[in-house]
Amino acid sequence: MLSTDKAWEKFGRENPYYGVLAEERFTAPQIGDNRDVFFESGRAFLAGLLRRYEGHFGALPRGSALDHGCGVGRLTLPLGTAFERVTGLDVSPSMLAEAKANAERLFVANVDFKLADDRLSNAAGQFDFVNSYITLQHIPVRRGLSILARLVERVRPGGGLHVHVSIRTDGLPSRALWWASHHIPGVKIWQNICAGRPWNAPAMQMNDYPMGEVIVALASGGVSEFLVATEQHAKFLTVSVIGKRRQI
């Protein structure tokens, strides 16, 4: 499947909040009235995530955190209130520009936003907590598994990890339509027109990951004990995995 980077930059320029959370209230025409709701959803999600982690694994060091696929900062900015230093990575320069503006507007000064690449070269060193939520599913599987392995490497021994992937698209018609829209020229244009979107609206590519390979990537990097929860995102069954990297 094709690289998704150009599509996410188009979302970043034209519809950044909808690109992060695909709900009508977060589209460009409506985000002005719903921006606070958007960020409150991120704060609530992160608070629950950290409670789950510490309820199972114990206290999490709060020195540094990495947010992979940070978008406009929905989870990165709350991470900035929970950790001393935070790095947010995204492949879209426009998303990063919006995230920086949001950090200034919300007076979050300890977050550094940087451009992502597959080697995570702008996130040197290791972090106490590494997060990648509703991101890997938009990246083709072979490429995403390579990124996942590098995310695990960025977790400091004794630190925590949260990653999220899609594992199943429900219904044969849905699976067929997604395959066609990503592989057959013209299908995505037809799909956009039928949905009332601009004909050239970017595709929000979805990819289902083999759970066995995800577990192997985590275990190979020293994350061998997990909390696993499923989430239904529209027609997609997804999995959140929380883990702790073992001490050396």
Side-chain angles (χ1 to χ4, degrees):
M1 299 177 76
L2 297 176
S3 168
T4 57
D5 295 2
K6 289 184 179 180
W8 289 105
E9 172 57 11
K10 189 172 177 64
F11 274 118
R13 290 195 311 269
E14 300 175 1
N15 217 352
Y17 296 84
Y18 181 81
V20 174
L21 280 184
E23 299 181 22
E24 186 66 25
R25 59 183 173 161
F26 301 138
T27 57
Q30 298 191 39
I31 190 60
D33 294 331
N34 295 294
R35 195 186 309 269
D36 290 343
V37 175
F38 178 91
F39 281 106
E40 180 55 37
S41 73
R43 286 189 287 269
F45 179 87
L46 182 68
L49 175 64
L50 294 178
R51 281 196 302 269
R52 287 180 60 211
Y53 180 95
E54 295 192 327
H56 185 83
F57 294 105
L60 177 66
R62 298 295 184 98
S64 58
L66 173 65
D67 189 19
H68 173 255
C70 66
V72 298
R74 175 175 171 262
L75 298 181
T76 326
L77 300 183
L79 281 167
T81 67
F83 291 83
E84 294 177 10
R85 303 174 308 282
V86 179
T87 298
L89 295 179
D90 203 276
V91 297
S92 165
S94 295
M95 287 281 194
L96 293 173
E98 188 71 14
K100 291 175 184 177
N102 285 323
E104 293 177 3
R105 184 175 62 84
L106 296 173
F107 305 103
V108 180
N110 62 334
V111 177
D112 193 11
F113 293 102
K114 297 182 178 181
L115 194 65
D117 60 28
D118 289 6
R119 299 190 63 81
L120 308 183
S121 55
N122 281 328
Q126 293 181 312
F127 300 81
D128 293 312
F129 186 66
V130 172
N131 176 68
S132 183
Y133 183 61
I134 53 176
T135 297
L136 290 172
Q137 63 194 30
H138 300 308
I139 301 172
V141 172
R142 183 179 298 179
R143 180 183 176 195
L145 287 172
S146 176
I147 293 171
L148 175 60
R150 291 189 172 94
L151 287 170
V152 176
E153 292 173 355
R154 294 301 191 276
V155 182
R156 182 173 288 117
L161 172 80
H162 171 238
V163 295
H164 172 264
V165 295
S166 177
I167 61 171
R168 189 186 71 205
T169 304
D170 292 338
L172 180 59
S174 295
R175 292 196 294 270
L177 180 58
W178 276 102
W179 185 93
S181 68
H182 295 339
H183 292 85
I184 300 176
V187 172
K188 182 58 184 174
I189 294 174
W190 168 81
Q191 192 178 21
N192 283 337
I193 292 171
C194 290
R197 295 188 292 262
W199 69 270
N200 61 345
M204 190 174 286
Q205 187 183 120
M206 293 289 291
N207 300 281
D208 294 334
Y209 281 63
M211 197 61 193
E213 292 191 41
V214 171
I215 297 301
V216 168
L218 296 175
S220 297
V223 181
S224 54
E225 183 180 351
F226 317 102
L227 285 175
V228 178
T230 61
E231 303 174 9
Q232 192 73 37
H233 290 202
K235 296 182 182 295
F236 305 96
L237 180 64
T238 70
V239 171
S240 273
V241 182
I242 302 172
K244 179 178 181 178
R245 190 175 189 191
R246 60 176 175 265
Q247 298 279 1
I248 296 175

